[in-house]
């Protein structure tokens, strides 16, 4: 079997093999029921490890292109013999809430994948092809072989101590002085935010958030009946000059902010505003929750100091995650807090979810400790910067008049503003018909109608050709809506 492998490109070898085999199945080279070569045979033919072929076959099986019989081998399961979701027809009214969650993600049908060929700019994570699946798999197998009994135990509810210690040293090197005892491992950053909300707030309390802001945080605050007070932003981030009046009027218990590569706008809070925010909050005695979900993904501009690095002890609670940089399903995040808050969060986690996966924590610590995480950061930065450049170029060439966007210095998202005459509610079904979708702006506003002309585009999750084609489809959809409006 001839499968050309490019060992210089960023796409892992197992994904190149998976793609070649999938293409062969789709084009009829293999038909339903054909037996594929054994992993040992194919590995020898391609001069790769057997694990690489195992991973490729596992990907094909996960996508429904083959099934494996124990002791017999791997057999093709041609997709033409399987039920496939149908794309909504152009004359079918687009059911907005059926295809978009009340928050930020678009999952397609409730219990089925998105229609084949649809380009999804709504995702909140990076590209799975950039995730170091094979490297992490090797680390995971090593942990299992050496520490299987401990890895399958509950472990400490504050988190695996060596991982906490590793994180404290990484953060300290980044200018955020941290002790292992200040780090609490959580099940993703959303869990960390939830612990803070449940520990520090009660129904009826007020929280100040940027507008727009992270949709899942808004959903969490609404669920706990918290009064959401919004402060607008501009290209320099939160309008901190408006805070004193809001603090005086609402007496909030917390200020929630995403200072680096804000979700959804991609903006960064300027250093001057960071210092002013801290001074205002300290004077009012309000704690700041700093969400740094992709702070490491900077492609240009200077590194800005973390709010926690600039703050007095106890003034800032810091939250971050590994989900965006490594594997979303890993569900490992963390928060950093001083003792006056830390014990409350730790007790809440203990009764809320008991522990986080000991196996994944141990594997993550081994992965980070040997330097693979730094390598992954650099690799992801190169890939995503290229994706960003492609999307910016496509938008500059194709966007109809009246549309606006800002080029972020890092992160995952571009925020696009439509002309006043066009809303996302009107655009989304047309874009769906063209085979492209996005995260609608209403998700990111406490008063949803204020986001009616905004949409978030993820430039990291798709390949450059998909980005180019997706932007072309999106712009054709915008033009169609504008033309229909003008005709009316």
């Amino acid at each position: 079997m001839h499968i050309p492998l490019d060992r210089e490109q960023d796409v892992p070898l197992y994904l190149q093999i998976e793609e070649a085999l999938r293409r062969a199945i789709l084009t009829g080279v293999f038909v339903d029921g054909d037996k594929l070569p054994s992993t040992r045979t194919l590995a020898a033919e391609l001069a790769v490890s057997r694990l690489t072929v195992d991973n490729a076959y596992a990907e094909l099986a996960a996508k429904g292109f083959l099934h494996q019989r124990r002791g017999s081998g791997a057999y093709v399961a041609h997709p033409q013999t399987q039920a496939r979701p149908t794309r909504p027809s152009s004359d079918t009214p687009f059911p907005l809430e059926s295809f978009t969650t009340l928050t930020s993600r678009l999952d397609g049908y409730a219990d089925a994948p998105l229609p084949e060929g649809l380009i999804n700019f709504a995702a909140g994570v990076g590209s799975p092809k950039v995730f170091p699946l094979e490297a992490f798999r090797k680390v995971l197998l090593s942990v299992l072989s050496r520490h299987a009994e401990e890895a399958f135990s509950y472990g400490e509810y504050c988190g695996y101590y060596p991982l906490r210690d590793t994180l404290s040293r990484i953060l300290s090197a980044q200018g955020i002085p941290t002790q292992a005892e200040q780090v609490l491992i959580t099940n993703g950053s959303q869990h960390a935010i939830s612990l803070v909300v449940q520990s520090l707030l009660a129904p009826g309390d007020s929280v100040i958030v940027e507008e727009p802001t992270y949709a899942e945080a808004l959903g969490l605050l609404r669920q706990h009946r918290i009064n959401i007070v919004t402060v607008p932003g501009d290209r320099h981030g939160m309008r901190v000059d408006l805070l004193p009046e809001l603090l005086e009027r609402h007496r909030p218990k917390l200020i929630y902010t995403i200072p680096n590569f804000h979700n959804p706008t991609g903006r960064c809070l300027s250093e001057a505003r960071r210092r002013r925010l801290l001074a205002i909050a300290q004077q009012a005695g309000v704690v700041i929750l700093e969400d740094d979900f992709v702070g490491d993904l900077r492609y240009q501009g200077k590194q800005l100091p973390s709010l926690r690095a600039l703050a007095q002890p106890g003034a800032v609670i810091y939250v971050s995650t590994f989900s965006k940089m490594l594997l979303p399903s890993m569900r490992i995040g963390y928060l950093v807090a001083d003792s006056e808050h830390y014990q409350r969060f730790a007790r809440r986690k203990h009764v809320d979810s008991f522990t986080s996966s000991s196996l994944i924590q141990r594997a993550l610590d081994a992965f980070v400790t040997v330097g693979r995480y730094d390598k992954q950061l650099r690799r992801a930065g190169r890939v995503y910067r290229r994706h960003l450049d492609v999307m910016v170029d496509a938008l500059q060439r194709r966007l109809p008049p009246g549309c606006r966007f800002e080029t972020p210095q890092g992160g995952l998202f571009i925020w696009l503003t439509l002309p006043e005459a066009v809303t996302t509610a009107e655009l989304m079904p047309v874009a769906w018909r063209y085979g492209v979708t996005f995260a609608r702006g209403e998700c990111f506003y406490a008063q949803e109608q204020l986001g009616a002309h905004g949409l978030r585009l993820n430039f990291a999750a798709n390949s450059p050709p998909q980005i180019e084609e997706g932007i072309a489809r999106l712009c054709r959809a915008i033009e169609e809506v504008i033309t229909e409006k003008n005709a009316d």
Side-chain angles (χ1 to χ4, degrees):
M1 182 180 298
H2 177 66
I3 298 178
L5 298 178
D6 185 348
R7 301 175 190 270
E8 299 301 319
Q9 66 172 284
D10 288 326
V11 179
L13 294 177
Y14 80 96
L15 284 179
Q16 295 184 44
I17 296 170
E18 180 268 335
E19 183 177 0
L21 291 173
R22 178 160 45 87
R23 192 183 306 115
I25 293 171
L26 291 172
T27 56
V29 175
F30 294 118
V31 299
D32 191 58
D34 278 355
K35 183 177 181 180
L36 293 181
S38 71
T39 56
R40 187 186 303 277
T41 299
L42 187 55
E45 289 182 5
L46 300 178
V48 297
S49 71
R50 188 175 178 183
L51 179 60
T52 297
V53 180
D54 280 335
N55 291 343
Y57 280 14
E59 284 290 314
L60 287 168
K63 295 174 181 176
F65 284 91
L66 64 80
H67 59 273
Q68 294 172 299
R69 303 174 189 169
R70 184 180 295 275
S72 179
Y75 294 83
V76 170
H78 201 283
Q80 288 182 351
T81 65
Q82 305 171 29
R84 298 169 66 181
T86 58
R87 184 189 295 259
S89 62
S90 59
D91 58 353
T92 301
F94 181 79
L96 187 65
E97 291 303 335
S98 299
F99 293 95
T100 53
T101 67
L102 293 176
T103 55
S104 60
R105 297 180 299 112
L106 188 143
D107 295 321
Y109 299 100
D111 298 307
L114 290 170
E116 183 181 359
L118 187 138
I119 296 174
N120 182 11
F121 288 137
V125 295
S127 169
K129 291 187 177 181
V130 179
F131 296 147
L133 299 178
E134 187 167 1
F136 192 79
R137 189 190 298 265
K138 291 178 181 178
V139 171
L140 197 60
L141 291 174
S142 175
V143 170
L144 284 172
S145 66
R146 293 182 292 111
H147 305 291
E149 185 173 337
E150 297 92 338
F152 285 121
S153 67
Y154 276 124
E156 307 166 61
Y157 66 87
C158 290
Y160 181 51
Y161 190 86
L163 176 59
R164 293 161 61 198
D165 184 60
T166 297
L167 288 171
S168 71
R169 287 186 282 105
I170 291 173
L171 291 170
S172 296
Q174 294 175 348
I176 310 174
T178 307
Q179 300 295 322
E181 290 74 18
Q182 297 173 305
V183 178
L184 179 67
I185 303 299
T186 61
N187 302 316
S189 60
Q190 180 72 11
H191 184 215
I193 296 169
S194 178
L195 293 176
V196 174
V197 168
Q198 294 181 71
S199 300
L200 301 186
L201 304 175
D205 285 344
S206 294
V207 171
I208 288 181
V209 304
E210 296 148 311
E211 190 168 60
T213 193
Y214 174 43
E216 304 287 0
L218 290 175
L220 177 67
L221 294 171
R222 291 187 184 109
Q223 184 179 54
H224 290 281
R225 303 193 301 281
I226 304 300
N227 179 39
I228 301 172
V229 180
T230 60
V231 57
D234 57 24
R235 63 190 184 91
H236 299 294
M238 181 195 294
R239 287 280 307 280
V240 297
D241 59 301
L242 302 178
L243 283 178
E245 181 184 351
L246 293 173
L247 290 167
E248 178 66 27
R249 189 191 318 164
H250 298 281
R251 304 289 180 181
K253 295 284 186 69
L254 191 71
I255 297 174
Y256 170 71
T257 180
I258 310 172
N260 295 320
F261 316 126
H262 177 264
N263 182 4
T265 66
R267 295 165 174 164
C268 284
L269 186 65
S270 68
E271 184 170 347
R273 291 191 183 183
R274 291 175 191 236
R275 295 183 184 277
R276 180 63 177 150
L277 169 60
L278 289 168
I280 291 171
Q282 184 175 356
Q283 184 176 5
V286 180
V287 175
I288 295 172
L289 176 56
E290 178 182 13
D291 185 350
D292 194 24
F293 76 113
V294 286
D296 289 335
L297 281 176
R298 175 174 288 278
Y299 316 129
Q300 57 183 324
K302 70 171 185 175
Q303 195 77 22
L304 294 169
S306 161
L307 291 173
R308 182 166 174 86
L310 298 172
Q312 298 294 319
V316 174
I317 300 160
Y318 179 89
V319 167
S320 191
T321 180
F322 286 98
S323 296
K324 302 297 185 291
M325 280 304 305
L326 294 176
L327 309 173
S329 62
M330 187 181 296
R331 306 309 303 139
I332 295 294
Y334 59 94
L335 64 79
V336 181
D338 296 293
S339 57
E340 59 189 280
H341 294 126
Y342 185 92
Q343 292 305 319
R344 297 174 70 177
F345 302 152
R347 285 194 296 271
R348 173 69 65 172
K349 184 198 173 182
H350 185 58
V351 299
D352 175 74
S353 58
F354 201 50
T355 64
S356 302
S357 168
S358 179
L359 171 61
I360 298 300
Q361 288 184 77
R362 288 170 178 269
L364 180 58
D365 180 56
F367 186 87
V368 172
T369 300
V370 298
R372 291 191 180 96
Y373 185 67
D374 287 338
K375 181 180 178 182
Q376 169 64 11
L377 273 178
R378 293 191 297 271
R379 179 167 175 258
R382 290 193 303 270
V383 173
Y384 294 158
R385 171 60 190 267
R386 186 163 67 250
H387 291 194
L388 171 61
D389 290 343
V390 170
M391 181 173 283
V392 168
D393 178 68
L395 288 171
Q396 288 174 338
R397 287 186 287 106
R398 297 181 181 274
L399 266 184
C403 297
R404 308 186 312 275
F405 74 94
E406 299 174 15
T407 303
Q409 295 184 325
L412 303 172
F413 311 120
I414 285 179
W415 181 251
L416 175 64
T417 304
L418 299 168
E420 283 297 317
V422 180
T423 67
T424 56
E426 295 166 323
L427 174 62
M428 187 165 257
V430 179
W432 184 270
R433 177 158 46 82
Y434 276 95
V436 64
T437 193
F438 50 82
R440 59 192 181 94
E442 293 94 328
C443 302
F444 306 98
Y445 282 80
Q447 299 180 57
E448 291 192 2
Q449 67 274 14
L450 297 179
H453 304 286
L455 53 99
R456 191 191 71 181
L457 302 173
N458 181 314
F459 57 80
N462 295 293
S463 68
Q466 288 174 317
I467 293 170
E468 182 74 42
E469 175 61 23
I471 294 301
R473 296 179 186 181
L474 178 63
C475 292
R476 288 197 295 270
I478 297 173
E479 288 170 349
E480 180 174 316
V481 175
I482 292 174
T483 299
E484 291 176 353
K485 287 277 191 175
N486 291 339
D488 294 340

